[in-house]
C-alpha cells in the first residue's frame, strides 16, 4: 500500500472531520470541519492546523455540515489557496451554513465583550467565508467515464451518492493501481427525502464513518406512526406544538412528512410556522437540486411542492417571529437550534413551556447536560435567558429521524469493499467503533480504529486527550 492516510479530526471522536490523503505524489485534504460538543473539543478549533495549509495540493469536501466544512474559511485564511471540490448543492449549503456560523460567532463574541466575559475571537468573518467560496469547484457523481474525469495530478477522483443530506458524497481516489474510498457521512435506507446511499465499491483502503456502529435505529414506520399520533393528540389541546429542528435536513424532513400525513388524513391541517431565515434559504437549495433527492420526493415535486403542508408560513424577520407569541389556537412552530443551544426556539420555549396546552416534540439528539436533555428527563423548571421557567408543557421524544446509517446499514454499505481491503473507522465514539470493527473483522474484513494523527501521544490505539 502506497497511499497514506492521516486523521487530524473525527478520529476517536465524531466531529472535526479532517483527513490528509497522500497518494500519487499529491497531498489531498478530505473535509475540514469544526470540533463541536464539549468545550475541550471546541478549543481545538482555535489551534493552528497540525500541517501547513499552503502545502496541500487539493481539498475535497464530502458534504456541507459544519463538522465537515466548518473550518474551511480558517484553512483558506491561513494559507490554503488550492481548489475545494464538492457537489454544487454542497457549495450552496456550505455558503449558507458558513455565513450563518460567521454571524453567530461574531454575535457571541460581541455579547461576551459587552458583558466583560472572556471569549475566543470569531474563527473567521463573513468576508473570510466569501473568499474561501471562490476556491470551490464542482464535482459530479458517478464513474468518471460518464463525466469529464477529475484529476489531481495523476489521482483520479470520483464521487457517489451518500444519501445523508443534499450534495453528500462518498469519494473514490485512484492512482498507481490503488483505490481509496472516503465514506463521508452515510445516509440511511428508507422511503424518505434523500436517496439511498450507493454501497462502497471494492477498495484497498476505506475510511469509514461509524456514528451508529453499535446500534440500529427503530423502524421508520414506527417513528412515523408515533409522530402522527403525537401531532394528532397535541392538536386537540389547542396549544402550540413546538418542534426544535436544525435548519438543514431535519426541517425539510419534518415538512415533507407533515405534508404527506395531512394528505393521507392522518393529522389535521394545522397552521405550520417555520421560524428560521436560514431554513427558507435552504429550502430554495432543495428546490434547485431536486435531482439530489429521492425518487419519492421527485415524484411529488412533479405536481406540487413536497415541503409544503397546506397551511405553511415562513417567519423571516424578528418581528414576524415575535408575532408568533400572539397566535391563538393549535399551531406547529418549527425553529432552531435543534439541540436547544440557542436560536429562536429558546424564545418560544420561554413563552410557552409554562402552559399546560403546549407540546414540545423532540425529533433530534439532545446532548447530556443540555436544555433539551433536561426537558426530556422531566425537569420541573429550567433556566432560559436568566429566568426560571416552570415546565407545564407535555414533552414528547420521537427517535428514528436520524440522517445517518445505522449499524446494519453500515455493514451493508461496506460489504462489497472486499476481504483484502483495510477499513479504518472514524467519526464515531469509541464504543460504536469497537463494536463495528468487531463485526467487520468477524466477517473476514480487516477493520481497525483510525488513531488521531496530530502528533499527540496515542496509547494502545486510544487518544490520551480524554475525549
Ligand atoms: Zn453530516
Amino acid at each position: 500500500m502506497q497511499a497514506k492516510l492521516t486523521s487530524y479530526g473525527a478520529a476517536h471522536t465524531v466531529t472535526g472531520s479532517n483527513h490528509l490523503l497522500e497518494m500519487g505524489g499529491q497531498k489531498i485534504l478530505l473535509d475540514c470541519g469544526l470540533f463541536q460538543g464539549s468545550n475541550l473539543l471546541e478549543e481545538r478549533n482555535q489551534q493552528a492546523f497540525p500541517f501547513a495549509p499552503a502545502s496541500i495540493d487539493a481539498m475535497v469536501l464530502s458534504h456541507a455540515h459544519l463538522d465537515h466544512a466548518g473550518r474551511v474559511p480558517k484553512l483558506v485564511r491561513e494559507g490554503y489557496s488550492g481548489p475545494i471540490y464538492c457537489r454544487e448543492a454542497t457549495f450552496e449549503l456550505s455558503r449558507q451554513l458558513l455565513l450563518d456560523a460567521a454571524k453567530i460567532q461574531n454575535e457571541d463574541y460581541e455579547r461576551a465583550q459587552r458583558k466583560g466575559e472572556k471569549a475566543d475571537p470569531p474563527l473567521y468573518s463573513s468576508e473570510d467565508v466569501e473568499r474561501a467560496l471562490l476556491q470551490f469547484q464542482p464535482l459530479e457523481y458517478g464513474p468518471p467515464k460518464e463525466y469529464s474525469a477529475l484529476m489531481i495530478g495523476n489521482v483520479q477522483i470520483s464521487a457517489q451518492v451518500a444519501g445523508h443530506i443534499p450534495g453528500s458524497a462518498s469519494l473514490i481516489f485512484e492512482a498507481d493501481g490503488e483505490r481509496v474510498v472516503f465514506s463521508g457521512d452515510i445516509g440511511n435506507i428508507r422511503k424518505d427525502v434523500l436517496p439511498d446511499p450507493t454501497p462502497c465499491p471494492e477498495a484497498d483502503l476505506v475510511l469509514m464513518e461509524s456514528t451508529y456502529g453499535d446500534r440500529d435505529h427503530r423502524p421508520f414506520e414506527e417513528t412515523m406512526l408515533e409522530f402522527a399520533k403525537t401531532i394528532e393528540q397535541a392538536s386537540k389541546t389547542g396549544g402550540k406544538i413546538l418542534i426544535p429542528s436544525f435548519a438543514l435536513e431535519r426541517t425539510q424532513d419534518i415538512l415533507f412528512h407533515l405534508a404527506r400525513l395531512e394528505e393521507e388524513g392522518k393529522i389535521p391541517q394545522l397552521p405550520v410556522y417555520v421560524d428560521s431565515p436560514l431554513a427558507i434559504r435552504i429550502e430554495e437549495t432543495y428546490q434547485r437540486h431536486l435531482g439530489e433527492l429521492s425518487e419519492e420526493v421527485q415524484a411529488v415535486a412533479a405536481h406540487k411542492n413536497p415541503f409544503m403542508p397546506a397551511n405553511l408560513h415562513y417567519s423571516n424577520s424578528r418581528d414576524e417571529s415575535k408575532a408568533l407569541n400572539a397566535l391563538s389556537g393549535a399551531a406547529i412552530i418549527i425553529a432552531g437550534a435543534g439541540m436547544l443551544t440557542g436560536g429562536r426556539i429558546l424564545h418560544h420555549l420561554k413563552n410557552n413551556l409554562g402552559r399546560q396546552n403546549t407540546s414540545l416534540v423532540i425529533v433530534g439528539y439532545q446532548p447530556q447536560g443540555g436544555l433539551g436533555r433536561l426537558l426530556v428527563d422531566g425537569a420541573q423548571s429550567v433556566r432560559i435567558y436568566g429566568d426560571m421557567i416552570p415546565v407545564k408543557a407535555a414533552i414528547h421524544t420521537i427517535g428514528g429521524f436520524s440522517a445517518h446509517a445505522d449499524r446494519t446499514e453500515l455493514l451493508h454499505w461496506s460489504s462489497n469493499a472486499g476481504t483484502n481491503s483495510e477499513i479504518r473507522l472514524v467519526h464515531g465514539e469509541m464504543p460504536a467503533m469497537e463494536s463495528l470493527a468487531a463485526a467487520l473483522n468477524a466477517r473476514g474484513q480487516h477493520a481497525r480504529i483510525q488513531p488521531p494523527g496530530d502528533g499527540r501521544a496515542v496509547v494502545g490505539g486510544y487518544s490520551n486527550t480524554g475525549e
Side-chain angles (χ1 to χ4, degrees), residues 49 161 179 198 263 301 410:
F49 290 102
V161 174
R179 181 183 283 162
T198 303
E263 197 160 292
L410 288 171

Side-chain angles (χ1 to χ4, degrees), residues 63 65 67-68 164 185 404:
H63 66 293
H65 273 149
D67 63 322
H68 294 259
H164 170 63
D185 282 2
H404 280 273

Side-chain angles (χ1 to χ4, degrees), residues 2 26 30 55 86 113 117 135 157 167 192 216 223 237 258 271 281 296-297 299 308 316 349 367 376 431:
Q2 292 176 23
Q26 301 290 310
L30 316 178
S55 70
C86 67
Q113 281 203 314
E117 293 168 359
Q135 288 168 228
I157 302 185
D192 200 17
D216 278 343
T223 294
T237 66
L258 285 173
R281 296 194 289 275
E296 290 81 20
V297 169
M308 201 159 90
N316 201 345
L349 291 171
V376 168

